[in-house]
Amino acid sequence: MSAANSSLHRLGVAALSQAMAQGRITSVEATQALLADIGAHQGLGAFLAVNADAALAQARQADMHRAAGRSAALTGVPVAHKDIFATRFETSGLHTTAGSKMLAGYASPFDATVVARLQQAGMVTLGKLNCDEFAMGSANQNSAFGPARNPWDLQRVPGGSSGGSAAAVAARLVPAATGTDTGGSIRQPASFTGITGIKPTYGVCSRYGLVAFASSLDQAGPMARSAEDCALLLSAMSGFDERDATSAQRPAQDYTAQLLARRPGATAGQPLAGLRIGLPQEFFPVALSAGVAQAVRDALAELEKLGAVLVDVSLPRTELSIPVYYLIAPAEASSNLSRFDGVKFGHRASQYGDLEDMYKKTRAEGFGPEVQRRIMIGTYVLSHGYYDAYYLQAQKLRRMIADDFQAVFQQCDIIAGPVAPSVAWKLGDKADDPLQSYLADIFTLPASLAGLPGMSVPAGFAGAAEGDGAGMPVGLQLIGNYFDEGLLLHTAHALQQATDHHLRSPQAAARQAQEAT
Ligand code: GLN
């Protein structure tokens, strides 16, 4: 059959895997067709690099494994990686840039653990995805290689920092992608583009080979259409890694089994019977946009129908998570990014006087404005005399924010609320005002600071009350206690069995609009 004549290659992970198992499409056919789609959608700015030859070689091998009966769920399923994951250049032909001029053309000598594990699971690497420089941003507008766009409205941002990952998955250019989330970078772009993404508990996925931003917060996770697809990827990419000193020492998990496991008291109609979902009052402020509030309320009502019980709770330090995060993350970034000095990695100024001049020119040329701003803030708050007043204070509050969550988890099993206070904003908006962008992270930062797992699940689309943002996707955020990603995926899956928001694609929506006129 010819894949180009069908849209089988645009299926999600589980469905594509099944189609391959049934012989309806091969990995080579799917890979070729997706590469063609990627080529036709370059205006989206989702991909920074593709390597067709390497991808097709992997796909051929996957097809051989399938033919020989040696296949697993992910065999031959294409994936693409946020360009913050190191990909070994010699084998992949893909550079690792972290969205920065500093690392343009950088050839990594090794694969990140997450990349290597997905490859071992049989996935085909299509390429590298656009992101904010060093994962600093909420709109993918800080990439040195140009912005990525939102496939639901090309004049809007896809969110960030994993904006390329979100745009590619939402536009059906790849069944799934990897992302990283330091303060919301998986959840917020997933919400803005109507896909499903999960940031696991800190330590569940190895940080080895992840270009470091803020090491005590950075965490990798899958971004895909559904909870089912995320579970398949997370099972393969997670697990203890001796190369990451903060990796959690736990046995490998089968998240697909946890997704399907029957909860005590559950019935066919009420798979979530008895599940207590806490709604922090601070996550529903008056300033929440009307379209987001309505979609989130609708999704919560749906969860209630499935048997969940909604409980009012409070996370009193939610607002403080913004200053706390924007002190701790830049502090760690200023330390991590000191390695980019023009000596060992990446860019070096071509003309300079002495060594100090070389450092200065290299860093001034290589880093974009947002990265420079954070290095300055971070260096300041760590400096003698300010350390106690800012950094230490922020660390104390971080602990209290984590304790607040533990108090709330006495009253409920999971927490729910919006992912972001609005739908995706227009390209250029907030670009000149970093503070506005920082404030929009309010609902994702608390779970990051506490190290808790969080996910974004499509809740629906903003209605007319959202003004010109009507029709844009809205995500429901679910936050779990430590290592409860299985319960989050289970809850999201139950919601997705009862709703079809996650099945809607921008292309299908555009077709429908055209037919209606
Ligand atoms: N928007 C946040 C920031 O700019 C979070 C980014 C992230 O999670 N990588 O730091």
Side-chain angles (χ1 to χ4, degrees):
M1 62 136 266
S2 157
N5 293 335
S6 80
S7 50
L8 280 180
H9 62 285
R10 300 204 184 106
L11 290 172
V13 177
L16 181 60
S17 171
Q18 196 184 20
M20 285 182 192
Q22 293 166 340
R24 292 161 64 212
I25 187 170
T26 65
S27 178
V28 167
E29 286 167 342
T31 301
Q32 263 163 349
L34 288 171
L35 288 168
D37 283 357
I38 291 166
H41 286 84
Q42 284 177 22
L44 200 56
F47 278 83
L48 292 182
V50 253
N51 188 335
D53 292 344
L56 287 166
Q58 290 168 32
R60 271 192 294 275
Q61 196 153 39
D63 284 335
M64 266 157 48
H65 284 153
R66 274 212 189 260
R70 280 183 285 123
S71 65
L74 296 175
T75 304
V77 177
V79 69
H81 299 293
K82 181 178 184 179
D83 202 11
I84 199 121
F85 290 90
T87 43
R88 187 167 171 228
F89 184 74
E90 207 180 299
T91 41
S92 68
L94 298 166
H95 290 119
T96 301
T97 71
S100 180
K101 196 175 156 196
M102 189 57 100
L103 282 173
Y106 173 65
S108 168
F110 67 102
D111 278 322
T113 297
V114 162
V115 169
R117 287 191 177 168
L118 290 178
Q119 229 153 54
Q120 276 154 20
M123 294 197 97
V124 172
T125 306
L126 293 185
K128 303 296 283 288
L129 296 159
N130 205 351
C131 59
D132 282 304
E133 185 175 7
F134 289 103
M136 297 177 190
S138 307
N140 211 123
Q141 290 185 96
N142 298 335
S143 166
F145 307 107
R149 292 166 185 271
N150 192 317
W152 291 93
D153 177 351
L154 295 176
Q155 297 315 314
R156 287 177 189 267
V157 304
S161 64
S162 313
S165 306
V169 172
R172 307 312 194 226
L173 300 180
V174 67
T178 54
T180 60
D181 189 312
T182 302
S185 282
I186 287 176
R187 290 162 285 162
Q188 185 255 26
S191 172
F192 279 11
T193 57
I195 66 164
T196 307
I198 180 162
K199 174 201 100 77
T201 306
Y202 181 79
V204 160
C205 286
S206 170
R207 286 184 299 112
Y208 179 74
L210 223 164
V211 179
F213 163 13
S215 307
S216 77
L217 295 152
D218 296 343
Q219 186 52 206
M223 301 172 75
R225 319 262 168 87
S226 64
E228 182 186 18
D229 288 358
C230 283
L232 283 167
L233 261 81
L234 189 58
S235 302
M237 64 200 269
S238 60
F240 176 67
D241 178 12
E242 61 182 12
R243 288 169 164 154
D244 172 0
T246 56
S247 173
Q249 303 230 18
R250 303 171 75 234
Q253 302 286 312
D254 179 350
Y255 293 105
T256 303
Q258 296 180 36
L259 171 113
L260 300 171
R262 205 191 159 110
R263 286 174 44 79
T267 62
Q270 296 219 307
L272 301 180
L275 181 78
R276 295 168 306 163
I277 301 182
L279 308 179
Q281 60 181 81
E282 296 79 5
F283 278 38
F284 297 88
V286 272
L288 192 62
S289 87
V292 169
Q294 191 55 50
V296 167
R297 269 200 295 272
D298 290 349
L300 291 171
E302 201 62 54
L303 289 167
E304 259 186 311
K305 274 196 232 156
L306 297 170
V309 183
L310 306 181
V311 198
D312 290 324
V313 298
S314 172
L315 288 168
R317 275 168 275 251
T318 297
E319 263 186 26
L320 282 174
S321 66
I322 297 172
V324 169
Y325 173 88
Y326 279 99
L327 287 172
I328 292 175
E332 292 184 19
S334 73
S335 163
N336 272 326
L337 271 55
S338 65
R339 78 191 66 186
F340 300 103
D341 55 6
V343 178
K344 300 181 285 293
F345 299 96
H347 179 74
R348 180 188 296 168
S350 53
Q351 289 186 353
Y352 51 86
D354 59 4
L355 181 65
E356 196 177 314
D357 191 44
M358 190 278 279
Y359 289 152
K360 282 185 187 158
K361 291 211 168 95
T362 295
R363 289 167 69 83
E365 290 170 10
F367 291 135
E370 181 62 23
V371 175
Q372 292 191 21
R373 182 179 302 120
R374 299 208 190 187
I375 290 173
M376 284 190 283
I377 294 172
T379 308
Y380 180 84
V381 302
L382 288 178
S383 58
H384 184 73
Y386 295 108
Y387 183 93
D388 286 2
Y390 295 114
Y391 184 70
L392 207 62
Q393 201 66 13
Q395 291 290 15
K396 286 181 185 162
L397 281 164
R398 180 179 187 178
R399 161 59 59 190
M400 293 166 101
I401 288 166
D403 289 346
D404 288 345
F405 273 107
Q406 289 314 304
V408 165
F409 282 124
Q410 302 290 319
Q411 298 159 257
C412 61
D413 306 302
I414 61 175
I415 293 168
V419 175
S422 72
V423 297
W425 54 84
K426 295 220 172 84
L427 279 168
D429 280 6
K430 302 191 208 281
D432 302 328
D433 191 351
L435 197 60
Q436 287 309 313
S437 164
Y438 299 171
L439 290 172
D441 290 341
I442 182 161
F443 303 132
T444 51
L445 299 179
S448 295
L449 288 166
L452 293 166
M455 77 184 289
S456 177
V457 193
F461 297 81
E466 195 69 16
D468 61 7
M472 293 303 289
V474 175
L476 171 77
Q477 183 175 206
L478 300 176
I479 299 171
N481 210 340
Y482 299 112
F483 302 114
D484 268 352
E485 26 285 297
L487 179 60
L488 293 185
L489 290 163
H490 179 89
T491 308
H493 182 63
L495 182 65
Q496 292 180 337
Q497 297 300 100
T499 56
D500 66 354
H501 311 305
H502 63 294
L503 301 175
R504 308 255 293 264
S505 75
Q507 289 103 330
R511 262 199 309 277
Q512 260 168 15
Q514 218 159 35
E515 280 160 16
T517 53

Short mmCIF file of all heavy atoms in Angstrom, two decimals, residues 300-349:
data_model
loop_
_atom_site.label_atom_id
_atom_site.label_comp_id
_atom_site.label_asym_id
_atom_site.label_seq_id
_atom_site.Cartn_x
_atom_site.Cartn_y
_atom_site.Cartn_z
N LEU A 300 -13.90 18.99 34.72
CA LEU A 300 -14.10 18.53 36.10
C LEU A 300 -15.47 17.88 36.26
O LEU A 300 -15.61 16.86 36.95
CB LEU A 300 -13.93 19.69 37.09
CG LEU A 300 -12.50 20.23 37.22
CD1 LEU A 300 -12.50 21.53 38.04
CD2 LEU A 300 -11.58 19.20 37.85
N ALA A 301 -16.47 18.44 35.59
CA ALA A 301 -17.81 17.86 35.65
C ALA A 301 -17.81 16.47 35.03
O ALA A 301 -18.48 15.54 35.52
CB ALA A 301 -18.81 18.77 34.92
N GLU A 302 -17.04 16.32 33.97
CA GLU A 302 -16.90 15.02 33.31
C GLU A 302 -16.26 14.01 34.28
O GLU A 302 -16.71 12.86 34.38
CB GLU A 302 -16.03 15.21 32.07
CG GLU A 302 -16.17 14.16 31.01
CD GLU A 302 -17.57 14.07 30.43
OE1 GLU A 302 -18.12 15.10 29.96
OE2 GLU A 302 -18.12 12.97 30.47
N LEU A 303 -15.23 14.45 35.00
CA LEU A 303 -14.56 13.56 35.96
C LEU A 303 -15.52 13.16 37.08
O LEU A 303 -15.48 12.03 37.57
CB LEU A 303 -13.32 14.25 36.55
CG LEU A 303 -12.14 14.40 35.58
CD1 LEU A 303 -11.07 15.35 36.14
CD2 LEU A 303 -11.51 13.03 35.27
N GLU A 304 -16.38 14.09 37.46
CA GLU A 304 -17.39 13.77 38.49
C GLU A 304 -18.33 12.68 37.99
O GLU A 304 -18.68 11.76 38.73
CB GLU A 304 -18.21 15.03 38.81
CG GLU A 304 -17.79 15.72 40.10
CD GLU A 304 -18.71 16.88 40.44
OE1 GLU A 304 -18.99 17.71 39.54
OE2 GLU A 304 -19.16 16.94 41.60
N LYS A 305 -18.74 12.80 36.72
CA LYS A 305 -19.63 11.79 36.14
C LYS A 305 -18.97 10.41 36.17
O LYS A 305 -19.64 9.39 36.25
CB LYS A 305 -19.94 12.14 34.68
CG LYS A 305 -21.11 13.08 34.51
CD LYS A 305 -21.58 13.06 33.07
CE LYS A 305 -21.66 14.48 32.51
NZ LYS A 305 -21.56 14.56 31.07
N LEU A 306 -17.64 10.42 36.08
CA LEU A 306 -16.91 9.15 36.08
C LEU A 306 -16.69 8.64 37.49
O LEU A 306 -16.00 7.64 37.69
CB LEU A 306 -15.57 9.32 35.35
CG LEU A 306 -15.68 9.71 33.86
CD1 LEU A 306 -14.32 10.09 33.29
CD2 LEU A 306 -16.29 8.56 33.07
N GLY A 307 -17.25 9.33 38.47
CA GLY A 307 -17.20 8.83 39.85
C GLY A 307 -16.30 9.61 40.79
O GLY A 307 -16.30 9.36 41.99
N ALA A 308 -15.51 10.56 40.26
CA ALA A 308 -14.59 11.30 41.12
C ALA A 308 -15.38 12.24 42.03
O ALA A 308 -16.47 12.69 41.70
CB ALA A 308 -13.61 12.10 40.28
N VAL A 309 -14.79 12.53 43.18
CA VAL A 309 -15.41 13.44 44.15
C VAL A 309 -14.53 14.69 44.21
O VAL A 309 -13.32 14.60 44.42
CB VAL A 309 -15.45 12.78 45.55
CG1 VAL A 309 -16.15 13.70 46.55
CG2 VAL A 309 -16.11 11.42 45.48
N LEU A 310 -15.13 15.87 44.01
CA LEU A 310 -14.35 17.11 44.03
C LEU A 310 -14.31 17.67 45.45
O LEU A 310 -15.33 17.75 46.12
CB LEU A 310 -14.95 18.13 43.06
CG LEU A 310 -15.14 17.66 41.61
CD1 LEU A 310 -15.70 18.77 40.74
CD2 LEU A 310 -13.82 17.16 41.02
N VAL A 311 -13.10 18.05 45.88
CA VAL A 311 -12.91 18.56 47.25
C VAL A 311 -12.23 19.93 47.17
O VAL A 311 -11.26 20.08 46.43
CB VAL A 311 -11.95 17.64 48.05
CG1 VAL A 311 -12.08 17.87 49.54
CG2 VAL A 311 -12.16 16.17 47.71
N ASP A 312 -12.71 20.90 47.94
CA ASP A 312 -12.04 22.21 47.97
C ASP A 312 -10.82 22.14 48.87
O ASP A 312 -10.92 21.69 50.01
CB ASP A 312 -13.01 23.28 48.49
CG ASP A 312 -14.11 23.57 47.47
OD1 ASP A 312 -13.80 23.53 46.27
OD2 ASP A 312 -15.26 23.81 47.88
N VAL A 313 -9.70 22.59 48.36
CA VAL A 313 -8.47 22.60 49.16
C VAL A 313 -7.78 23.95 48.97
O VAL A 313 -8.24 24.79 48.19
CB VAL A 313 -7.52 21.44 48.78
CG1 VAL A 313 -8.16 20.09 49.02
CG2 VAL A 313 -7.08 21.57 47.32
N SER A 314 -6.67 24.15 49.66
CA SER A 314 -5.95 25.41 49.54
C SER A 314 -4.44 25.18 49.46
O SER A 314 -3.89 24.37 50.22
CB SER A 314 -6.28 26.31 50.74
OG SER A 314 -5.46 27.46 50.71
N LEU A 315 -3.80 25.85 48.54
CA LEU A 315 -2.33 25.89 48.46
C LEU A 315 -1.94 27.35 48.64
O LEU A 315 -1.77 28.09 47.67
CB LEU A 315 -1.85 25.35 47.10
CG LEU A 315 -1.98 23.84 46.87
CD1 LEU A 315 -1.76 23.47 45.41
CD2 LEU A 315 -0.99 23.08 47.75
N PRO A 316 -1.85 27.79 49.91
CA PRO A 316 -1.78 29.22 50.20
C PRO A 316 -0.56 29.94 49.62
O PRO A 316 -0.59 31.15 49.46
CB PRO A 316 -1.77 29.26 51.73
CG PRO A 316 -1.35 27.90 52.17
CD PRO A 316 -1.82 26.96 51.11
N ARG A 317 0.50 29.18 49.32
CA ARG A 317 1.71 29.86 48.83
C ARG A 317 1.87 29.81 47.32
O ARG A 317 2.96 30.01 46.79
CB ARG A 317 2.94 29.31 49.54
CG ARG A 317 3.18 30.00 50.89
CD ARG A 317 4.22 29.29 51.74
NE ARG A 317 3.59 28.23 52.50
CZ ARG A 317 3.39 28.27 53.82
NH1 ARG A 317 3.83 29.29 54.52
NH2 ARG A 317 2.78 27.29 54.43
N THR A 318 0.75 29.56 46.60
CA THR A 318 0.81 29.46 45.14
C THR A 318 1.48 30.69 44.51
O THR A 318 2.37 30.55 43.67
CB THR A 318 -0.62 29.28 44.58
OG1 THR A 318 -1.14 28.05 45.09
CG2 THR A 318 -0.63 29.24 43.06
N GLU A 319 1.07 31.88 44.93
CA GLU A 319 1.63 33.10 44.31
C GLU A 319 3.13 33.23 44.56
O GLU A 319 3.86 33.74 43.71
CB GLU A 319 0.92 34.34 44.85
CG GLU A 319 -0.18 34.81 43.94
CD GLU A 319 -0.80 36.12 44.40
OE1 GLU A 319 -0.12 36.90 45.09
OE2 GLU A 319 -1.97 36.32 44.07
N LEU A 320 3.55 32.77 45.74
CA LEU A 320 4.98 32.89 46.08
C LEU A 320 5.85 32.01 45.20
O LEU A 320 7.07 32.20 45.12
CB LEU A 320 5.20 32.52 47.55
CG LEU A 320 4.83 33.61 48.55
CD1 LEU A 320 4.94 33.07 49.96
CD2 LEU A 320 5.75 34.82 48.37
N SER A 321 5.23 31.03 44.56
CA SER A 321 6.05 30.13 43.74
C SER A 321 6.71 30.90 42.59
O SER A 321 7.75 30.47 42.09
CB SER A 321 5.22 28.95 43.23
OG SER A 321 4.23 29.42 42.35
N ILE A 322 6.13 32.03 42.19
CA ILE A 322 6.75 32.78 41.08
C ILE A 322 8.09 33.40 41.52
O ILE A 322 9.13 33.09 40.91
CB ILE A 322 5.78 33.84 40.51
CG1 ILE A 322 4.55 33.14 39.91
CG2 ILE A 322 6.48 34.67 39.42
CD1 ILE A 322 3.44 34.07 39.50
N PRO A 323 8.13 34.24 42.56
CA PRO A 323 9.45 34.75 42.97
C PRO A 323 10.41 33.64 43.41
O PRO A 323 11.61 33.74 43.15
CB PRO A 323 9.13 35.70 44.14
CG PRO A 323 7.73 35.41 44.55
CD PRO A 323 7.04 34.88 43.33
N VAL A 324 9.90 32.61 44.06
CA VAL A 324 10.78 31.53 44.53
C VAL A 324 11.45 30.85 43.32
O VAL A 324 12.67 30.68 43.26
CB VAL A 324 10.01 30.51 45.39
CG1 VAL A 324 10.84 29.26 45.64
CG2 VAL A 324 9.59 31.15 46.71
N TYR A 325 10.62 30.48 42.34
CA TYR A 325 11.16 29.83 41.14
C TYR A 325 12.12 30.75 40.39
O TYR A 325 13.19 30.31 39.97
CB TYR A 325 10.01 29.39 40.22
CG TYR A 325 10.50 28.86 38.88
CD1 TYR A 325 10.81 27.51 38.71
CD2 TYR A 325 10.65 29.70 37.78
CE1 TYR A 325 11.25 27.03 37.49
CE2 TYR A 325 11.10 29.22 36.56
CZ TYR A 325 11.40 27.88 36.41
OH TYR A 325 11.85 27.42 35.20
N TYR A 326 11.73 32.01 40.24
CA TYR A 326 12.56 32.92 39.44
C TYR A 326 13.78 33.45 40.21
O TYR A 326 14.51 34.31 39.70
CB TYR A 326 11.70 34.03 38.79
CG TYR A 326 11.04 33.48 37.54
CD1 TYR A 326 9.71 33.05 37.54
CD2 TYR A 326 11.77 33.31 36.37
CE1 TYR A 326 9.12 32.50 36.41
CE2 TYR A 326 11.19 32.76 35.23
CZ TYR A 326 9.87 32.36 35.25
OH TYR A 326 9.32 31.80 34.12
N LEU A 327 14.01 32.94 41.42
CA LEU A 327 15.31 33.10 42.09
C LEU A 327 16.12 31.81 41.98
O LEU A 327 17.30 31.82 41.61
CB LEU A 327 15.12 33.44 43.58
CG LEU A 327 14.62 34.84 43.88
CD1 LEU A 327 14.27 34.98 45.36
CD2 LEU A 327 15.68 35.85 43.51
N ILE A 328 15.46 30.68 42.28
CA ILE A 328 16.20 29.41 42.31
C ILE A 328 16.63 28.97 40.90
O ILE A 328 17.79 28.59 40.69
CB ILE A 328 15.35 28.32 42.99
CG1 ILE A 328 15.20 28.64 44.48
CG2 ILE A 328 15.97 26.94 42.80
CD1 ILE A 328 14.29 27.70 45.25
N ALA A 329 15.70 29.06 39.94
CA ALA A 329 16.06 28.58 38.59
C ALA A 329 17.21 29.41 37.99
O ALA A 329 18.18 28.83 37.49
CB ALA A 329 14.82 28.57 37.68
N PRO A 330 17.16 30.75 38.03
CA PRO A 330 18.31 31.50 37.51
C PRO A 330 19.60 31.25 38.30
O PRO A 330 20.69 31.22 37.72
CB PRO A 330 17.88 32.97 37.64
CG PRO A 330 16.39 32.93 37.65
CD PRO A 330 16.03 31.65 38.35
N ALA A 331 19.49 31.04 39.63
CA ALA A 331 20.69 30.76 40.41
C ALA A 331 21.37 29.49 39.89
O ALA A 331 22.58 29.48 39.62
CB ALA A 331 20.34 30.61 41.89
N GLU A 332 20.58 28.45 39.72
CA GLU A 332 21.16 27.20 39.23
C GLU A 332 21.64 27.35 37.79
O GLU A 332 22.67 26.79 37.39
CB GLU A 332 20.14 26.07 39.35
CG GLU A 332 19.85 25.72 40.80
CD GLU A 332 18.90 24.54 40.97
OE1 GLU A 332 18.73 23.75 40.02
OE2 GLU A 332 18.32 24.41 42.06
N ALA A 333 20.89 28.13 36.99
CA ALA A 333 21.28 28.33 35.59
C ALA A 333 22.61 29.07 35.51
O ALA A 333 23.47 28.73 34.69
CB ALA A 333 20.19 29.10 34.85
N SER A 334 22.80 30.07 36.37
CA SER A 334 24.04 30.85 36.28
C SER A 334 25.24 29.96 36.56
O SER A 334 26.30 30.11 35.94
CB SER A 334 24.00 32.04 37.24
OG SER A 334 24.15 31.61 38.58
N SER A 335 25.05 29.00 37.45
CA SER A 335 26.12 28.06 37.74
C SER A 335 26.31 27.06 36.58
O SER A 335 27.40 26.86 36.08
CB SER A 335 25.79 27.35 39.06
OG SER A 335 26.56 26.19 39.21
N ASN A 336 25.20 26.46 36.13
CA ASN A 336 25.28 25.47 35.04
C ASN A 336 25.87 26.06 33.76
O ASN A 336 26.61 25.41 33.04
CB ASN A 336 23.88 24.92 34.73
CG ASN A 336 23.53 23.71 35.59
OD1 ASN A 336 24.40 22.92 35.92
ND2 ASN A 336 22.27 23.58 35.94
N LEU A 337 25.47 27.29 33.45
CA LEU A 337 25.87 27.87 32.17
C LEU A 337 27.29 28.46 32.18
O LEU A 337 27.79 28.90 31.15
CB LEU A 337 24.85 28.91 31.68
CG LEU A 337 23.71 28.32 30.82
CD1 LEU A 337 22.98 27.19 31.50
CD2 LEU A 337 22.74 29.39 30.39
N SER A 338 27.94 28.39 33.35
CA SER A 338 29.32 28.90 33.40
C SER A 338 30.24 28.02 32.55
O SER A 338 31.33 28.42 32.18
CB SER A 338 29.81 28.98 34.84
OG SER A 338 29.89 27.69 35.39
N ARG A 339 29.79 26.80 32.23
CA ARG A 339 30.63 25.90 31.43
C ARG A 339 30.77 26.40 30.00
O ARG A 339 31.67 25.98 29.28
CB ARG A 339 30.07 24.49 31.47
CG ARG A 339 28.89 24.26 30.57
CD ARG A 339 28.19 22.94 30.83
NE ARG A 339 27.56 22.92 32.16
CZ ARG A 339 26.99 21.86 32.70
NH1 ARG A 339 26.98 20.72 32.05
NH2 ARG A 339 26.41 21.93 33.88
N PHE A 340 29.85 27.27 29.56
CA PHE A 340 29.94 27.77 28.18
C PHE A 340 30.84 29.00 28.16
O PHE A 340 30.39 30.14 28.27
CB PHE A 340 28.55 28.08 27.63
CG PHE A 340 27.67 26.87 27.62
CD1 PHE A 340 26.68 26.68 28.59
CD2 PHE A 340 27.85 25.88 26.67
CE1 PHE A 340 25.89 25.55 28.59
CE2 PHE A 340 27.07 24.73 26.66
CZ PHE A 340 26.09 24.57 27.63
N ASP A 341 32.14 28.74 28.06
CA ASP A 341 33.12 29.82 28.20
C ASP A 341 33.96 29.98 26.94
O ASP A 341 34.93 30.72 26.93
CB ASP A 341 34.02 29.55 29.41
CG ASP A 341 34.68 28.18 29.32
OD1 ASP A 341 34.53 27.51 28.28
OD2 ASP A 341 35.35 27.79 30.29
N GLY A 342 33.60 29.28 25.88
CA GLY A 342 34.37 29.39 24.65
C GLY A 342 35.59 28.50 24.62
O GLY A 342 36.29 28.41 23.62
N VAL A 343 35.87 27.83 25.73
CA VAL A 343 37.06 26.98 25.78
C VAL A 343 36.69 25.53 25.43
O VAL A 343 37.26 24.95 24.52
CB VAL A 343 37.71 27.03 27.19
CG1 VAL A 343 38.92 26.11 27.25
CG2 VAL A 343 38.10 28.45 27.54
N LYS A 344 35.68 25.00 26.15
CA LYS A 344 35.40 23.57 26.00
C LYS A 344 34.25 23.27 25.05
O LYS A 344 34.26 22.27 24.36
CB LYS A 344 35.07 22.98 27.38
CG LYS A 344 36.22 23.12 28.38
CD LYS A 344 35.90 22.51 29.71
CE LYS A 344 34.94 23.29 30.57
NZ LYS A 344 35.44 24.59 31.06
N PHE A 345 33.23 24.12 25.05
CA PHE A 345 32.03 23.82 24.26
C PHE A 345 31.67 24.96 23.32
O PHE A 345 31.79 26.13 23.69
CB PHE A 345 30.80 23.63 25.16
CG PHE A 345 30.90 22.52 26.13
CD1 PHE A 345 31.30 22.75 27.43
CD2 PHE A 345 30.55 21.23 25.75
CE1 PHE A 345 31.37 21.72 28.34
CE2 PHE A 345 30.62 20.19 26.66
CZ PHE A 345 31.03 20.43 27.95
N GLY A 346 31.13 24.60 22.20
CA GLY A 346 30.38 25.53 21.36
C GLY A 346 31.12 26.76 20.89
O GLY A 346 32.32 26.76 20.62
N HIS A 347 30.32 27.83 20.81
CA HIS A 347 30.77 29.07 20.18
C HIS A 347 31.99 29.69 20.87
O HIS A 347 32.11 29.64 22.09
CB HIS A 347 29.61 30.07 20.22
CG HIS A 347 29.93 31.40 19.63
ND1 HIS A 347 30.05 31.60 18.28
CD2 HIS A 347 30.18 32.60 20.22
CE1 HIS A 347 30.36 32.86 18.05
NE2 HIS A 347 30.43 33.50 19.20
N ARG A 348 32.88 30.25 20.07
CA ARG A 348 33.97 31.10 20.60
C ARG A 348 34.07 32.32 19.70
O ARG A 348 34.04 32.20 18.48
CB ARG A 348 35.30 30.35 20.60
CG ARG A 348 36.45 31.22 21.14
CD ARG A 348 37.81 30.56 20.97
NE ARG A 348 37.90 29.34 21.75
CZ ARG A 348 38.90 28.45 21.60
NH1 ARG A 348 39.84 28.66 20.70
NH2 ARG A 348 38.92 27.36 22.33
N ALA A 349 34.14 33.49 20.32
CA ALA A 349 34.25 34.73 19.54
C ALA A 349 35.46 34.62 18.61
O ALA A 349 36.48 34.03 18.96
CB ALA A 349 34.42 35.92 20.48
#
